[in-house]
Amino acid sequence: MSLQAPPRLPPARLRGCSARVGSGERPPGGAWGLAEPPAMTDDAVKLLLRRFYTLQGERVEAYRLFEEGHRAYLSSGPHYDFLRYRQLVHEITLAFSGISREILQLKEQLQVEHGRLELAQHLSRVQQKEKEKLELTAQLQLARQNAQDQPGVPAHQQEVQELKYKLIKTIEAISEILQDLKYDSEEAE
């Protein structure tokens, strides 16, 4: 059976991630692609929130590619193509790191520059739940491989089911936080 290459993140997905890692530098033109940061207005807050939702969409796409790549990796068993999968994990890690870094900047701007502590707290809660989701996703991928490698061990199947449940609950919690964010941001208008 030949192994298909796992999906690669489009270059735009990684744009600026490696340049920002550890440098503390902002992308040229600011995080919004503008020459200067927006004025401290409701429009500026809306712009920050719009950017946040765009980043959340990128994160969802990165998860999709991560899962797709893991399925390709599992299909290469029992002689797994670990090198290709490791490269995918590296690219996904860069993408998640860049997204998280930018969301933390947005949170800081909402809190410090705009005095929108409640909105900043929602972003912080999303970040915490996204971290939990990523950890659960990694655990689930390992559990799936264990279940595939040792199909006669019921504990592995049980672990997969438990992790799926925890992952679903975490995704539901993220959705609730996003709903709260939407409500609080609309309420302030």
Side-chain angles (χ1 to χ4, degrees), residues 67-105:
E67 281 298 313
E68 197 175 295
H70 188 255
R71 279 193 302 274
Y73 171 71
L74 287 179
S75 71
S76 71
H79 304 291
Y80 297 105
D81 187 352
F82 182 71
L83 293 177
R84 193 169 296 207
Y85 181 66
R86 183 175 65 185
Q87 180 60 34
L88 173 67
V89 169
H90 173 72
E91 291 176 15
I92 294 292
T93 299
L94 286 176
F96 281 143
S97 177
I99 291 166
S100 292
R101 186 170 287 105
E102 193 169 343
I103 288 176
L104 290 173
Q105 290 172 349

Side-chain angles (χ1 to χ4, degrees), residues 3 15 50 53 59 61 73 78 101 112 114 117 144 151 157 175 179 181 183 186:
L3 172 66
R15 181 194 59 206
R50 195 173 312 128
Y53 287 118
R59 191 162 15 207
E61 177 67 8
Y73 171 71
R101 186 170 287 105
V112 175
H114 301 284
L117 183 60
R144 284 179 177 152
Q157 292 299 329
S175 293
Q179 279 298 111
L181 174 63
Y183 177 78
E186 289 173 352

Side-chain angles (χ1 to χ4, degrees), residues 29-39 47:
W32 311 276
L34 303 173
E36 297 178 16
L47 191 58

Side-chain angles (χ1 to χ4, degrees), residues 1 9 25 38 71-72 81 106 121 128 154 158 166 169 171 173 179 187:
M1 169 182 238
L9 289 175
E25 295 178 28
R71 279 193 302 274
D81 187 352
L106 297 175
Q121 288 174 336
Q128 182 59 39
Q158 178 68 27
K166 288 179 182 178
K169 289 298 181 188
I171 292 168
Q179 279 298 111
E187 186 178 84

Side-chain angles (χ1 to χ4, degrees), residues 24-47:
E25 295 178 28
R26 297 179 70 112
W32 311 276
L34 303 173
E36 297 178 16
M40 292 175 37
T41 65
D42 285 340
D43 288 340
V45 170
K46 288 178 189 175
L47 191 58

